[in-house]
Amino acid sequence: RFYCEIQIHVSMPCSFVWISPLFSLIHGLRSSVGEEFAAQGSKLHLVSGGDQPRPWEYWNLCEGSFSCTPLGMYGADQEAQDAASKRFLLFSSYGGGFNNERHSLELAFSLAYLWNRTLVLPPYMGHPNSKDDLFAVEESWDLDALQEAVRVMSTEDFRRHVLDHPEDLGVTEDIANRLETLPKMTSFKDGEFHGWLKGVELVAEKVLDNHLESFVVIGDGEESLEAEDGELLYREFAGDREPLMLTKEQRDKTALYIPPGTLLGNFYSTIYVHDNLKTWQLRNAVRRSVHLRREYFEAAQAVMEKARLVPGVFGAMHIRQDDWSAEHGLNASNPQQFLTHKSIRDFLKSHGRLYLAVKTTSDEHDAVFETLIPYLQDNMRAPREVILLGGDVREAGERIAGRMQTWDGIVEMIICSQAHAFVGSWGSTYTGYIQRLRGYMPEVMDKRMLFFDSEKDDGVSFPTWKKHYEGWAREWSEAFGSF
């Protein structure tokens, strides 16, 4: 019995294709055969080199081919592009952890895309008083990719634009001169943070001043509800959540801004679009344009090669600790509490190598290594290896992405997203993004959303959140189902 940071080198696997109803049989076979290759130290390659896309470059995958036509801003609509060059959407992020902030970016991007506006990025994302955790969008996200779908501008560039063209915003030079981009080291008392652009309310109209969990934003205007089937389709999508939409006066405003503490939720279940083509275009735009920087994926590949984790043939788990261990019954000192369900035991029996994404406090460290990991190994197939991000394995990723914001947690998400199967922690947006990435990844065949609480596994309704909407607490297959 051992847990380790494995150092034998294996690269990418051969591709397997299968058809249901043989899924379960071949599903397990792939894991078994792949692990045999890995155990022998085989060097399997999906990519032969050169400029060919890596299997994790899902944003370059279109209709099963790594050959995509240019996305085109605002659905390649020239009229929308012209409108966006004169209108702006500013936003402050929710003010939470990395994946809460991802929600904010995806939602703001989606609204700028649908409302035909230039997206004005905040100088920082994260909790405004957690100076060490603040980061700029471009530090973690591919800014060039963002600009393939919408016009993008920094807050400081917007401030300069107002100074140079106050008449465009309908304000005087005196008001324009009152705008100030706040520095990172500014301290805020509770309730006093209103965004990074001081004076924004002087030049922009505030919209969506609500926590979005109980609402749905109408992305294509009130006319979508006034259509013949509009109300019926909306209620099928939204359930009992109430609609929020721009008024005509707001639509005509040159600049709009969304305050902090608002943008939290999955863009595809929070924003309703009546037009099916526009819905597809939006989801495709988020998939192709709102993705992490390439360095994170390259670091994940380096870690996997060092640990001889072959994409598609190892298992992965995210067991969130700290506040989750008590609230959701994921206490590492009592693994029987959450690892005894048949679906979890079957998962463990079908894998001999397991990547474990777990972040512990000092109080939880011993329980993870002395109780949780041995329990996992006892219920796994041979060779019963549990791999964590540490030692030489960690160094392999750190050499590539170590200078980047929260690199280790992001790299672990990408590793888990390439596993044969994955079980995560319900209510965790970290688990949620792993599941989203698994939906995007072309090599991942098992796209089920599995949780330690099996009652939270995928539903069969349409939309899949119809029976019990759970807000931001989880992802749904609608995010990637059309691809």
Side-chain angles (χ1 to χ4, degrees):
R1 173 186 294 170
F2 58 97
Y3 44 86
C4 52
E5 293 78 31
I6 305 173
Q7 301 175 30
I8 302 173
H9 175 91
V10 175
S11 189
M12 300 293 184
C14 299
S15 177
F16 287 75
V17 179
W18 56 84
I19 303 173
S20 181
L22 297 178
F23 178 80
S24 295
L25 173 62
I26 305 176
H27 183 70
L29 216 76
R30 183 180 186 186
S31 176
S32 176
V33 171
E35 287 176 355
E36 287 300 316
F37 278 129
Q40 297 170 23
S42 301
K43 296 184 178 181
L44 308 176
H45 292 271
L46 256 180
V47 181
S48 58
D51 296 326
Q52 296 185 37
R54 305 290 181 179
W56 40 257
E57 286 185 76
Y58 63 82
W59 54 87
N60 285 325
L61 180 73
C62 298
E63 297 179 355
S65 170
F66 282 110
S67 178
C68 296
T69 57
L71 192 57
M73 285 188 176
Y74 308 95
D77 183 331
Q78 187 59 53
E79 185 177 338
Q81 293 174 36
D82 293 341
S85 68
K86 303 169 187 174
R87 302 190 304 180
F88 307 90
L89 176 64
L90 299 89
F91 74 100
S92 289
S93 62
Y94 184 76
F98 183 83
N99 277 291
N100 295 156
E101 302 302 272
R102 168 181 60 83
H103 277 187
S104 294
L105 179 61
E106 290 176 345
L107 283 164
F109 170 93
S110 299
L111 293 173
Y113 184 90
L114 294 169
W115 292 346
N116 303 330
R117 291 178 175 271
T118 295
L119 180 63
V120 181
L121 299 176
Y124 306 108
M125 300 185 74
H127 194 286
N129 278 328
S130 298
K131 305 298 182 288
D132 293 338
D133 296 329
L134 290 175
F135 64 97
V137 173
E138 61 269 22
E139 290 181 54
S140 296
W141 300 92
D142 188 326
L143 201 56
D144 290 338
L146 275 179
Q147 296 179 96
E148 290 179 9
V150 298
R151 287 173 53 87
V152 175
M153 177 182 283
S154 71
T155 294
E156 184 58 22
D157 283 344
F158 174 78
R159 189 186 70 83
R160 293 194 189 102
H161 175 80
V162 177
L163 285 173
D164 293 340
H165 306 282
E167 69 281 359
D168 290 353
L169 282 295
V171 299
T172 64
E173 289 186 15
D174 178 62
I175 288 178
N177 278 303
R178 292 164 65 182
L179 295 180
E180 177 187 355
T181 303
L182 298 176
K184 185 176 184 179
M185 298 311 295
T186 306
S187 294
F188 304 96
K189 294 180 180 178
D190 289 344
E192 288 189 356
F193 178 71
H194 303 296
W196 291 102
L197 183 62
K198 185 177 180 180
V200 63
E201 70 281 356
L202 300 174
V203 298
E205 175 96 0
K206 181 165 68 172
V207 296
L208 305 185
D209 191 14
N210 303 82
H211 193 291
L212 294 185
E213 187 169 9
S214 301
F215 297 91
V216 169
V217 181
I218 307 301
D220 48 2
E222 59 188 14
E223 57 271 15
S224 67
L225 298 183
E226 296 170 353
E228 182 178 351
D229 57 353
E231 184 66 26
L232 176 65
L233 291 177
Y234 171 77
R235 283 302 166 192
E236 185 177 68
F237 177 94
D240 59 1
R241 290 178 289 158
E242 291 304 311
L244 292 175
M245 66 189 84
L246 298 182
T247 65
K248 183 182 184 305
E249 292 75 18
Q250 289 171 333
R251 289 201 300 267
D252 292 340
K253 291 286 185 180
T254 301
L256 304 174
Y257 84 95
I258 301 173
T262 296
L263 293 175
L264 182 67
N266 297 312
F267 76 94
Y268 53 88
S269 63
T270 301
I271 301 173
Y272 173 73
V273 182
H274 181 75
D275 185 287
N276 287 333
L277 175 60
K278 198 70 174 178
T279 298
W280 182 89
Q281 288 176 326
L282 173 62
R283 294 178 186 179
N284 189 44
V286 172
R287 179 180 67 94
R288 290 183 58 185
S289 291
V290 190
H291 65 78
L292 294 160
R293 286 180 52 157
R294 187 181 183 88
E295 293 95 322
Y296 292 118
F297 291 88
E298 292 173 341
Q301 178 176 319
V303 168
M304 292 171 68
E305 290 179 350
K306 191 71 175 176
R308 66 183 177 90
L309 290 171
V310 181
V313 293
F314 66 95
M317 284 182 166
H318 168 228
I319 304 178
R320 179 165 171 172
Q321 293 295 283
D322 198 10
D323 53 337
W324 244 239
S325 62
E327 185 176 345
H328 293 275
L330 301 181
N331 194 324
S333 63
N334 186 17
Q336 295 91 338
Q337 184 181 10
F338 62 95
L339 294 176
T340 55
H341 191 276
K342 184 180 183 302
S343 63
I344 304 300
R345 296 182 73 87
D346 289 346
F347 170 90
L348 292 171
K349 288 176 183 177
S350 66
H351 296 97
R353 292 179 175 81
L354 176 70
Y355 188 87
L356 179 60
V358 57
K359 183 178 180 181
T360 64
T361 64
S362 56
D363 294 337
E364 296 162 335
H365 180 273
D366 290 348
V368 167
F369 283 87
E370 296 175 7
T371 304
L372 174 62
I373 291 176
Y375 184 89
L376 291 170
Q377 291 170 319
D378 283 343
N379 289 276
M380 291 167 62
R381 65 190 297 168
R384 297 185 174 89
E385 295 174 356
V386 175
I387 300 102
L388 299 97
L389 190 67
D392 291 346
V393 169
R394 182 183 180 88
E395 290 175 6
E398 193 168 17
R399 281 193 291 270
I400 298 172
R403 62 181 177 80
M404 301 176 72
Q405 175 73 16
T406 59
W407 75 270
D408 46 359
I410 293 174
V411 164
E412 289 198 281
M413 285 194 294
I414 295 170
I415 293 170
C416 291
S417 75
Q418 297 177 73
H420 167 250
F422 169 74
V423 180
S425 302
W426 183 88
S428 164
T429 52
Y430 186 95
T431 278
Y433 199 45
I434 292 170
Q435 292 169 333
R436 171 94 70 82
L437 290 174
R438 291 178 63 76
Y440 288 158
M441 292 286 183
E443 281 293 298
V444 172
M445 299 297 153
D446 184 354
K447 299 183 185 294
R448 293 174 298 164
M449 297 184 181
L450 304 177
F451 301 96
F452 296 106
D453 181 355
S454 61
E455 292 183 0
K456 302 293 188 181
D457 291 351
D458 288 338
V460 292
S461 58
F462 179 81
T464 51
W465 60 78
K466 183 175 181 179
K467 290 186 177 180
H468 182 50
Y469 182 68
E470 296 169 315
W472 52 265
R474 60 160 295 170
E475 290 276 343
W476 306 91
S477 59
E478 276 80 356
F480 53 80
S482 57
F483 306 112

